[in-house]
Each structure stands twice: as C-alpha cells, then as structure tokens.
Amino acid sequence: MAKTEHSEVHRTEPAVNKRREIADVAAELFDALGYHSTSMDGIAERAGLRKPTLYHYFRSKDEILFEIHSGMIESILGLHDQRLESGVNSIEALRGLMEDVINLMENHPGHLRIFLEHHRELPDRYKEEIRAQRDKFRQNIVSALEQGVEEGVFRDVDVEMTALAILGMCNWTYQWLRPGSGRSAAEVADAFWDFAMNGVALQPNLARP
C-alpha cells in the first residue's frame, strides 16, 4: 500500500504531540460546528496558534481530518496487537475489540463521530490508507470469530456477517451514548457482550422461524 504524503514536519516528539493537540482541538470544532463550517482560522484561534504556525504542522483541513482518522484507528489497532502478543484466547480477543470501540465513545466522542460520519469526505489520496486500516480492524473481529469457531466456543456462524453485526452494534453507540447519560462504556460493553453471546431467547432456537 502506498503511503500518503503527509506534512513534512520534523517528527520529533514535541512536534508529534503538537499535531495531536491540534487534531484534538479540530475534532472538537468539527463535532460542534460541522466539518465544512470549521475553518483553519477557527482551528488556529482555538488552538492558540498563529495561522502560519498552524500551517507549519498541517497544510490543510483535509490533512487534519486524516490525522484524526488515522490516529484513532491506529490506537485501537495497537491495543489489539498488544492483546494478541499477550496470548489472549478468542473470547478475550473479541470482547476486547468490542470494548475498544465503545470506550472511544466515552474517551473520544467527537473523534468517533467524525470517524464514522466524515470518512467519505477525505480526499482520495487519503482514503486508501484509511480504508485499509478500517478493513484491518474488521478482519481482527473476523479472525477472533474464526478462532472461536475452531476452538468450539462459538457456534459455526457466518463470521463475515457476524463481524458486520458486531461492528454495527458497537459503532452505533456514537448516536446515543453520552458522558453522564447514566450508562458507562463498560456497562454498554457488558450488555452488548451478553447479547452477542446469549441472544434474547430463553430457550435454544425458540426465536427461529
């Protein structure tokens, strides 16, 4: 996969941290005002920067949008890589993947809404990389399901369709889960996990037509 051309900012730790700070500020503005209604002037002002300084870190608003997308998906991909390195089983892997997405709604709500609602607005030069990252996350769910089927802890389900169902259930939390809503990310993860593992029928096959 060809890497996109990012800003030629010196990738020192302070510069990386500053880019992250700017992306966080922009995410708040995109979430509050809308992506198209947010200007580079507004981002610079909220970040406490002169506009030329902002352009030192990011050449465009599109690039900031890419940074938000890439940073978020890379963080949860990294969490799962660490999980796999520790030797988790299929249940721990799948449960962890679900929690990673739901926790984003509690820890980075604006980022998740932007990720889900504005990915189509990324310029073509960025879309391929983000699409590959999103596909990798979905494949992590598929792999956990396949492992569970092989181990005999999950039923022999259509793993692709089941992965999409789990993603849809977890991703949709951004529409209704809010800090202070009375439900924590952990409680939602518990409820979704129970539903994914046990369904709603009291007796096996009761709801099957």
Side-chain angles (χ1 to χ4, degrees), residues 2 5-6 17 33 44 53-54 60 69 72 78 92 110 149 151 154 157 175 180 203 209:
E5 295 181 2
H6 303 162
N17 290 340
L33 306 176
T53 304
L54 175 60
S60 67
H69 277 74
M72 198 192 75
E92 293 166 331
V149 171
E151 293 171 348
F154 298 153
V157 296
Q175 288 280 8
Q203 300 176 32

Side-chain angles (χ1 to χ4, degrees), residues 104-137:
L104 285 171
M105 196 57 236
E106 190 166 80
N107 300 326
H108 302 286
H111 289 65
L112 185 58
R113 280 191 288 273
I114 292 161
F115 184 80
L116 294 171
E117 293 184 350
H118 295 290
H119 64 93
R120 293 181 181 85
E121 296 171 70
L122 285 165
D124 290 340
R125 65 185 182 277
Y126 295 138
K127 282 182 179 177
E128 181 182 353
E129 186 170 342
I130 294 300
R131 187 179 298 114
Q133 291 173 321
R134 292 168 72 103
D135 288 347
K136 182 178 179 181
F137 185 79

Side-chain angles (χ1 to χ4, degrees), residues 190-203:
D190 285 341
F192 283 5
W193 178 254
D194 180 64
F195 179 74
M197 293 298 103
N198 303 308
V200 297
L202 286 173
Q203 300 176 32

